[in-house]
Amino acid sequence: MDNQHDDFDKTSVRAGTHSAKWNSRITESGIIPLSVADMDIPAPPQVIKKLAELNQKDIYGYTSPSTNWNKIVTNWIKRQYQWKIKSDWVIFFSRVIQAVSLPIQKATQYQDKTVVSPALLPPC
């Protein structure tokens, strides 16, 4: 994506948008919540445009990755972290349960006992 259109100095007013982060007793008290995975900057125009195009298809659900997704991921990791990885190290998961299940299956034997702690990421 073209980063010249990203505006990290512009903020979005989220109050009144049913935002779990911004419509709470905590923000009413003047505390600014810093929740994980909740952006307070606008999405890039390219993303907004593409989502608008896809919304016109009236189909929502899980999707398969593009044919070159593996190359995109390995190139991104190389650019971001200067780490060259093999493409077969990266596995696509469309569901969190699958992503959690595979390493457990690979690291344990049948009827081994495991503990999985759910993520606790409240909105504020």
Side-chain angles (χ1 to χ4, degrees), residues 8 15-16 48 51-52 55 61-62 72 76 78 80-82 86 95 102 104 109 112 116 120:
F8 295 111
I48 295 169
L51 287 173
N55 281 329
Y62 292 109
I72 292 168
W76 184 85
K78 185 176 181 182
Q80 293 295 315
Y81 303 107
Q82 295 74 49
K86 295 178 182 178
R95 296 167 191 85
L102 183 66
I104 292 172
Q109 299 294 320
D112 280 354
V116 178
L120 298 174

Side-chain angles (χ1 to χ4, degrees), residues 91 98-116:
I91 302 170
Q98 290 174 327
V100 171
S101 174
L102 183 66
I104 292 172
Q105 291 176 41
K106 295 290 183 187
T108 62
Q109 299 294 320
Y110 179 70
Q111 293 189 338
D112 280 354
K113 295 181 179 6
T114 61
V115 175
V116 178

